[in-house]
Amino acid sequence: MSRGGTATAREVERKILSHLHGRHSRIHLTQIHAHLLRHHLHQSNHILSHFISVCAQLRKMDYAHLLFLQTQHPNILLYNSMIKGYSLSPPFQTSLHLFCTMKNNHGIWPDEFTFAPLLNAVRIGTVELYANCGRMEDARKVFDEMLHRDVIVWNLMIRGYCRTGNVDIGYELFNEMDERSVVSWNTMLSCLARSGRDGEALKLFYEMRDAGFELDEATVVTMLPACARLGEESIGQWIHSYAKSSKLYRNHVSVGNAIVDFYCKRSLLEDAFKVFDEMPLRNVVSWNTMISGLAFNGDGQKGLGLFDEMMKSGLKPNDSTFIGVLTCCVHSGLVQRGRELFGSMVSSHEIEPKLEHYGCMVDLLGRGGFVKEAYDLVKSMPMKPNGALWGALLSCSRNHGDLEVAEAAVKEVVALEPWNSGNYVLLSNIYAEIGNWDEVEKVRGLMMEGKIEKAPGQSFIR
């Protein structure tokens, strides 16, 4: 190649490296890859090692691996870049696999840059293994022995403690961190929210925002339900505005779903519908969220209308869809429509009803006065009814004066909850209402035998 040609090739390399390490490499990665192909640099180990390093920083090692697999003559530089890249994000065992492949398949021996990330990946992988198995004492031993702990291993420890119910220890570790990533904040926010500590999660969210960290999909999906539970409409609306301006709303359907759910839970249905209608991407969860939100707010007719729209769109419903629409039927008193929908689950959609679906139907039939039909449905269930379902049947049977079904239901409840004195009192009172005083005495005898004391405020009918 002439001097001029060599200079041109070097210029191209410099330009590509400049783009790779520039501010916008995240969004231009595929274009940079196209330049590599166009200028026949996709086999340059030097250029590819830089490309892989950038992929590692952006947590896009899957992309890096695709390029690596297409390399005809990888060298130690390229292998070191791959090993280091996988030492920064899971699955960490891939680093060890690459090390073995490098030696056994290509006869390439490690150098002084190979072992540090490899050992780090092994240690992090060990921490991850112990943490995922809930063996936090073993994970802590490895963690404490590590001389250099990066943000990834801290996140693994925090998540591990939170998963095993030790949220306070996880929080202590979080507060000890010198360096945090968005994942660190999201992990702790999620742990607090899942543990019912929404107020602490919101306080931490403010700290995250004040520290200059940008919200991502996980932040929004975690914090909006917490805001709904706390009644913090203003901060929920601020998160909505942020998601819209930062394009999270456009790029992640889960973000739109979380916003719709937030507005539904705060009974702001106009706002929920506006977001739902504007969503650039919608999936079955989007429709389910809006339908369930309408049911939750007592607008079952509108929820059923939305379900009909969903069917016309060609989207396949799932079991959660039917919980939503059956709840709509309950709130609207549409017994026949509920029967049809329940029947269509298997016949038209190949969805086996779960306990929750049967619960909706018992509620629907019971409220409509079809107590015997509800009882027959419970007896025909392929799974064992729980206390809540028998309780719903008991409630509707008493409301409609069907003491026979009420007696059967309360017996089942007593069998499931033999420690609950209220069930015995209820059973005794049902017998009293039909004048079966022998059974009343038997119930009292059972309570005495089981040493079950009547709770204050409860009374037997005499």
PDB file of all heavy atoms in Angstrom, residues 120-143:
ATOM      1  N   ASN A 120     -10.988 -11.346  39.242  1.00  0.00           N
ATOM      2  CA  ASN A 120     -12.097 -10.509  39.728  1.00  0.00           C
ATOM      3  C   ASN A 120     -13.441 -11.116  39.318  1.00  0.00           C
ATOM      4  O   ASN A 120     -14.388 -11.178  40.111  1.00  0.00           O
ATOM      5  CB  ASN A 120     -11.968  -9.094  39.162  1.00  0.00           C
ATOM      6  CG  ASN A 120     -12.941  -8.126  39.798  1.00  0.00           C
ATOM      7  OD1 ASN A 120     -13.023  -8.027  41.017  1.00  0.00           O
ATOM      8  ND2 ASN A 120     -13.691  -7.409  38.979  1.00  0.00           N
ATOM      9  N   ALA A 121     -13.512 -11.581  38.063  1.00  0.00           N
ATOM     10  CA  ALA A 121     -14.753 -12.189  37.561  1.00  0.00           C
ATOM     11  C   ALA A 121     -15.092 -13.449  38.344  1.00  0.00           C
ATOM     12  O   ALA A 121     -16.258 -13.692  38.674  1.00  0.00           O
ATOM     13  CB  ALA A 121     -14.608 -12.520  36.080  1.00  0.00           C
ATOM     14  N   VAL A 122     -14.070 -14.260  38.670  1.00  0.00           N
ATOM     15  CA  VAL A 122     -14.303 -15.495  39.441  1.00  0.00           C
ATOM     16  C   VAL A 122     -14.842 -15.165  40.814  1.00  0.00           C
ATOM     17  O   VAL A 122     -15.786 -15.810  41.314  1.00  0.00           O
ATOM     18  CB  VAL A 122     -13.014 -16.333  39.529  1.00  0.00           C
ATOM     19  CG1 VAL A 122     -13.209 -17.504  40.514  1.00  0.00           C
ATOM     20  CG2 VAL A 122     -12.616 -16.838  38.178  1.00  0.00           C
ATOM     21  N   ARG A 123     -14.231 -14.172  41.456  1.00  0.00           N
ATOM     22  CA  ARG A 123     -14.690 -13.797  42.805  1.00  0.00           C
ATOM     23  C   ARG A 123     -16.107 -13.241  42.756  1.00  0.00           C
ATOM     24  O   ARG A 123     -16.953 -13.587  43.588  1.00  0.00           O
ATOM     25  CB  ARG A 123     -13.738 -12.754  43.399  1.00  0.00           C
ATOM     26  CG  ARG A 123     -12.365 -13.308  43.765  1.00  0.00           C
ATOM     27  CD  ARG A 123     -11.595 -12.347  44.642  1.00  0.00           C
ATOM     28  NE  ARG A 123     -10.245 -12.812  44.881  1.00  0.00           N
ATOM     29  CZ  ARG A 123      -9.160 -12.373  44.240  1.00  0.00           C
ATOM     30  NH1 ARG A 123      -9.294 -11.444  43.307  1.00  0.00           N
ATOM     31  NH2 ARG A 123      -7.970 -12.840  44.524  1.00  0.00           N
ATOM     32  N   ILE A 124     -16.368 -12.366  41.799  1.00  0.00           N
ATOM     33  CA  ILE A 124     -17.717 -11.794  41.681  1.00  0.00           C
ATOM     34  C   ILE A 124     -18.719 -12.900  41.367  1.00  0.00           C
ATOM     35  O   ILE A 124     -19.828 -12.928  41.908  1.00  0.00           O
ATOM     36  CB  ILE A 124     -17.760 -10.697  40.598  1.00  0.00           C
ATOM     37  CG1 ILE A 124     -16.916  -9.497  41.029  1.00  0.00           C
ATOM     38  CG2 ILE A 124     -19.197 -10.240  40.348  1.00  0.00           C
ATOM     39  CD1 ILE A 124     -16.819  -8.400  39.981  1.00  0.00           C
ATOM     40  N   GLY A 125     -18.309 -13.817  40.485  1.00  0.00           N
ATOM     41  CA  GLY A 125     -19.181 -14.940  40.149  1.00  0.00           C
ATOM     42  C   GLY A 125     -19.497 -15.789  41.369  1.00  0.00           C
ATOM     43  O   GLY A 125     -20.622 -16.279  41.527  1.00  0.00           O
ATOM     44  N   THR A 126     -18.505 -15.949  42.262  1.00  0.00           N
ATOM     45  CA  THR A 126     -18.719 -16.722  43.494  1.00  0.00           C
ATOM     46  C   THR A 126     -19.704 -16.002  44.411  1.00  0.00           C
ATOM     47  O   THR A 126     -20.603 -16.621  44.993  1.00  0.00           O
ATOM     48  CB  THR A 126     -17.386 -16.941  44.230  1.00  0.00           C
ATOM     49  OG1 THR A 126     -16.456 -17.563  43.342  1.00  0.00           O
ATOM     50  CG2 THR A 126     -17.578 -17.820  45.456  1.00  0.00           C
ATOM     51  N   VAL A 127     -19.529 -14.674  44.534  1.00  0.00           N
ATOM     52  CA  VAL A 127     -20.464 -13.877  45.339  1.00  0.00           C
ATOM     53  C   VAL A 127     -21.869 -13.991  44.768  1.00  0.00           C
ATOM     54  O   VAL A 127     -22.852 -14.176  45.504  1.00  0.00           O
ATOM     55  CB  VAL A 127     -20.029 -12.394  45.395  1.00  0.00           C
ATOM     56  CG1 VAL A 127     -21.127 -11.528  46.007  1.00  0.00           C
ATOM     57  CG2 VAL A 127     -18.737 -12.244  46.184  1.00  0.00           C
ATOM     58  N   GLU A 128     -21.980 -13.888  43.443  1.00  0.00           N
ATOM     59  CA  GLU A 128     -23.281 -13.980  42.782  1.00  0.00           C
ATOM     60  C   GLU A 128     -23.917 -15.343  43.033  1.00  0.00           C
ATOM     61  O   GLU A 128     -25.118 -15.442  43.329  1.00  0.00           O
ATOM     62  CB  GLU A 128     -23.123 -13.746  41.282  1.00  0.00           C
ATOM     63  CG  GLU A 128     -24.450 -13.761  40.531  1.00  0.00           C
ATOM     64  CD  GLU A 128     -24.269 -13.612  39.037  1.00  0.00           C
ATOM     65  OE1 GLU A 128     -23.271 -14.129  38.497  1.00  0.00           O
ATOM     66  OE2 GLU A 128     -25.132 -12.990  38.398  1.00  0.00           O
ATOM     67  N   LEU A 129     -23.128 -16.409  42.945  1.00  0.00           N
ATOM     68  CA  LEU A 129     -23.639 -17.764  43.160  1.00  0.00           C
ATOM     69  C   LEU A 129     -24.187 -17.916  44.577  1.00  0.00           C
ATOM     70  O   LEU A 129     -25.311 -18.382  44.778  1.00  0.00           O
ATOM     71  CB  LEU A 129     -22.531 -18.788  42.903  1.00  0.00           C
ATOM     72  CG  LEU A 129     -22.892 -20.248  43.181  1.00  0.00           C
ATOM     73  CD1 LEU A 129     -23.974 -20.731  42.236  1.00  0.00           C
ATOM     74  CD2 LEU A 129     -21.646 -21.127  43.057  1.00  0.00           C
ATOM     75  N   TYR A 130     -23.384 -17.514  45.567  1.00  0.00           N
ATOM     76  CA  TYR A 130     -23.824 -17.625  46.967  1.00  0.00           C
ATOM     77  C   TYR A 130     -25.055 -16.757  47.227  1.00  0.00           C
ATOM     78  O   TYR A 130     -26.001 -17.185  47.904  1.00  0.00           O
ATOM     79  CB  TYR A 130     -22.696 -17.220  47.907  1.00  0.00           C
ATOM     80  CG  TYR A 130     -21.619 -18.266  48.097  1.00  0.00           C
ATOM     81  CD1 TYR A 130     -20.269 -17.930  48.109  1.00  0.00           C
ATOM     82  CD2 TYR A 130     -21.959 -19.608  48.293  1.00  0.00           C
ATOM     83  CE1 TYR A 130     -19.272 -18.886  48.292  1.00  0.00           C
ATOM     84  CE2 TYR A 130     -20.973 -20.578  48.470  1.00  0.00           C
ATOM     85  CZ  TYR A 130     -19.631 -20.206  48.473  1.00  0.00           C
ATOM     86  OH  TYR A 130     -18.666 -21.162  48.647  1.00  0.00           O
ATOM     87  N   ALA A 131     -25.033 -15.533  46.701  1.00  0.00           N
ATOM     88  CA  ALA A 131     -26.149 -14.610  46.936  1.00  0.00           C
ATOM     89  C   ALA A 131     -27.438 -15.140  46.314  1.00  0.00           C
ATOM     90  O   ALA A 131     -28.513 -15.066  46.919  1.00  0.00           O
ATOM     91  CB  ALA A 131     -25.823 -13.228  46.382  1.00  0.00           C
ATOM     92  N   ASN A 132     -27.346 -15.684  45.109  1.00  0.00           N
ATOM     93  CA  ASN A 132     -28.535 -16.229  44.436  1.00  0.00           C
ATOM     94  C   ASN A 132     -29.092 -17.451  45.166  1.00  0.00           C
ATOM     95  O   ASN A 132     -30.294 -17.739  45.068  1.00  0.00           O
ATOM     96  CB  ASN A 132     -28.213 -16.593  42.993  1.00  0.00           C
ATOM     97  CG  ASN A 132     -28.081 -15.373  42.109  1.00  0.00           C
ATOM     98  OD1 ASN A 132     -28.525 -14.287  42.467  1.00  0.00           O
ATOM     99  ND2 ASN A 132     -27.460 -15.538  40.953  1.00  0.00           N
ATOM    100  N   CYS A 133     -28.219 -18.156  45.880  1.00  0.00           N
ATOM    101  CA  CYS A 133     -28.653 -19.333  46.645  1.00  0.00           C
ATOM    102  C   CYS A 133     -29.087 -18.948  48.062  1.00  0.00           C
ATOM    103  O   CYS A 133     -29.461 -19.834  48.848  1.00  0.00           O
ATOM    104  CB  CYS A 133     -27.532 -20.359  46.717  1.00  0.00           C
ATOM    105  SG  CYS A 133     -27.086 -21.085  45.123  1.00  0.00           S
ATOM    106  N   GLY A 134     -29.005 -17.670  48.390  1.00  0.00           N
ATOM    107  CA  GLY A 134     -29.410 -17.214  49.719  1.00  0.00           C
ATOM    108  C   GLY A 134     -28.377 -17.484  50.798  1.00  0.00           C
ATOM    109  O   GLY A 134     -28.672 -17.344  51.994  1.00  0.00           O
ATOM    110  N   ARG A 135     -27.161 -17.869  50.402  1.00  0.00           N
ATOM    111  CA  ARG A 135     -26.095 -18.163  51.382  1.00  0.00           C
ATOM    112  C   ARG A 135     -25.270 -16.900  51.604  1.00  0.00           C
ATOM    113  O   ARG A 135     -24.126 -16.778  51.166  1.00  0.00           O
ATOM    114  CB  ARG A 135     -25.241 -19.328  50.886  1.00  0.00           C
ATOM    115  CG  ARG A 135     -26.007 -20.636  50.793  1.00  0.00           C
ATOM    116  CD  ARG A 135     -25.215 -21.746  50.136  1.00  0.00           C
ATOM    117  NE  ARG A 135     -23.926 -21.995  50.785  1.00  0.00           N
ATOM    118  CZ  ARG A 135     -23.089 -22.966  50.423  1.00  0.00           C
ATOM    119  NH1 ARG A 135     -23.431 -23.782  49.419  1.00  0.00           N
ATOM    120  NH2 ARG A 135     -21.949 -23.131  51.042  1.00  0.00           N
ATOM    121  N   MET A 136     -25.863 -15.945  52.332  1.00  0.00           N
ATOM    122  CA  MET A 136     -25.247 -14.627  52.459  1.00  0.00           C
ATOM    123  C   MET A 136     -24.017 -14.621  53.371  1.00  0.00           C
ATOM    124  O   MET A 136     -23.132 -13.781  53.206  1.00  0.00           O
ATOM    125  CB  MET A 136     -26.275 -13.616  52.952  1.00  0.00           C
ATOM    126  CG  MET A 136     -27.369 -13.314  51.925  1.00  0.00           C
ATOM    127  SD  MET A 136     -26.716 -12.943  50.264  1.00  0.00           S
ATOM    128  CE  MET A 136     -25.729 -11.490  50.578  1.00  0.00           C
ATOM    129  N   GLU A 137     -23.935 -15.560  54.313  1.00  0.00           N
ATOM    130  CA  GLU A 137     -22.723 -15.634  55.149  1.00  0.00           C
ATOM    131  C   GLU A 137     -21.515 -15.995  54.298  1.00  0.00           C
ATOM    132  O   GLU A 137     -20.431 -15.420  54.455  1.00  0.00           O
ATOM    133  CB  GLU A 137     -22.911 -16.668  56.268  1.00  0.00           C
ATOM    134  CG  GLU A 137     -23.858 -16.210  57.370  1.00  0.00           C
ATOM    135  CD  GLU A 137     -23.887 -17.210  58.525  1.00  0.00           C
ATOM    136  OE1 GLU A 137     -22.981 -18.071  58.592  1.00  0.00           O
ATOM    137  OE2 GLU A 137     -24.819 -17.119  59.347  1.00  0.00           O
ATOM    138  N   ASP A 138     -21.701 -16.968  53.389  1.00  0.00           N
ATOM    139  CA  ASP A 138     -20.608 -17.357  52.488  1.00  0.00           C
ATOM    140  C   ASP A 138     -20.284 -16.230  51.509  1.00  0.00           C
ATOM    141  O   ASP A 138     -19.108 -15.960  51.232  1.00  0.00           O
ATOM    142  CB  ASP A 138     -20.988 -18.620  51.717  1.00  0.00           C
ATOM    143  CG  ASP A 138     -21.123 -19.832  52.632  1.00  0.00           C
ATOM    144  OD1 ASP A 138     -20.299 -19.971  53.537  1.00  0.00           O
ATOM    145  OD2 ASP A 138     -22.063 -20.616  52.437  1.00  0.00           O
ATOM    146  N   ALA A 139     -21.338 -15.580  50.999  1.00  0.00           N
ATOM    147  CA  ALA A 139     -21.112 -14.454  50.081  1.00  0.00           C
ATOM    148  C   ALA A 139     -20.340 -13.354  50.777  1.00  0.00           C
ATOM    149  O   ALA A 139     -19.428 -12.743  50.190  1.00  0.00           O
ATOM    150  CB  ALA A 139     -22.461 -13.929  49.576  1.00  0.00           C
ATOM    151  N   ARG A 140     -20.664 -13.104  52.050  1.00  0.00           N
ATOM    152  CA  ARG A 140     -19.993 -12.029  52.804  1.00  0.00           C
ATOM    153  C   ARG A 140     -18.518 -12.345  53.032  1.00  0.00           C
ATOM    154  O   ARG A 140     -17.661 -11.454  52.995  1.00  0.00           O
ATOM    155  CB  ARG A 140     -20.718 -11.804  54.132  1.00  0.00           C
ATOM    156  CG  ARG A 140     -20.234 -10.570  54.909  1.00  0.00           C
ATOM    157  CD  ARG A 140     -20.496  -9.315  54.089  1.00  0.00           C
ATOM    158  NE  ARG A 140     -19.971  -8.129  54.707  1.00  0.00           N
ATOM    159  CZ  ARG A 140     -20.721  -7.214  55.337  1.00  0.00           C
ATOM    160  NH1 ARG A 140     -22.036  -7.382  55.430  1.00  0.00           N
ATOM    161  NH2 ARG A 140     -20.176  -6.136  55.839  1.00  0.00           N
ATOM    162  N   LYS A 141     -18.212 -13.631  53.257  1.00  0.00           N
ATOM    163  CA  LYS A 141     -16.807 -14.020  53.447  1.00  0.00           C
ATOM    164  C   LYS A 141     -15.980 -13.706  52.209  1.00  0.00           C
ATOM    165  O   LYS A 141     -14.884 -13.143  52.302  1.00  0.00           O
ATOM    166  CB  LYS A 141     -16.722 -15.517  53.772  1.00  0.00           C
ATOM    167  CG  LYS A 141     -17.158 -15.876  55.190  1.00  0.00           C
ATOM    168  CD  LYS A 141     -17.116 -17.382  55.397  1.00  0.00           C
ATOM    169  CE  LYS A 141     -17.675 -17.750  56.767  1.00  0.00           C
ATOM    170  NZ  LYS A 141     -17.745 -19.228  56.957  1.00  0.00           N
ATOM    171  N   VAL A 142     -16.512 -14.081  51.039  1.00  0.00           N
ATOM    172  CA  VAL A 142     -15.796 -13.799  49.782  1.00  0.00           C
ATOM    173  C   VAL A 142     -15.702 -12.289  49.571  1.00  0.00           C
ATOM    174  O   VAL A 142     -14.642 -11.764  49.210  1.00  0.00           O
ATOM    175  CB  VAL A 142     -16.504 -14.463  48.585  1.00  0.00           C
ATOM    176  CG1 VAL A 142     -15.773 -14.153  47.284  1.00  0.00           C
ATOM    177  CG2 VAL A 142     -16.610 -15.972  48.788  1.00  0.00           C
ATOM    178  N   PHE A 143     -16.785 -11.594  49.824  1.00  0.00           N
ATOM    179  CA  PHE A 143     -16.837 -10.144  49.660  1.00  0.00           C
ATOM    180  C   PHE A 143     -15.804  -9.458  50.536  1.00  0.00           C
ATOM    181  O   PHE A 143     -15.073  -8.561  50.092  1.00  0.00           O
ATOM    182  CB  PHE A 143     -18.246  -9.658  50.003  1.00  0.00           C
ATOM    183  CG  PHE A 143     -18.439  -8.177  49.952  1.00  0.00           C
ATOM    184  CD1 PHE A 143     -18.602  -7.517  48.732  1.00  0.00           C
ATOM    185  CD2 PHE A 143     -18.491  -7.422  51.125  1.00  0.00           C
ATOM    186  CE1 PHE A 143     -18.794  -6.149  48.683  1.00  0.00           C
ATOM    187  CE2 PHE A 143     -18.675  -6.054  51.088  1.00  0.00           C
ATOM    188  CZ  PHE A 143     -18.836  -5.411  49.868  1.00  0.00           C
TER     189      PHE A 143
END
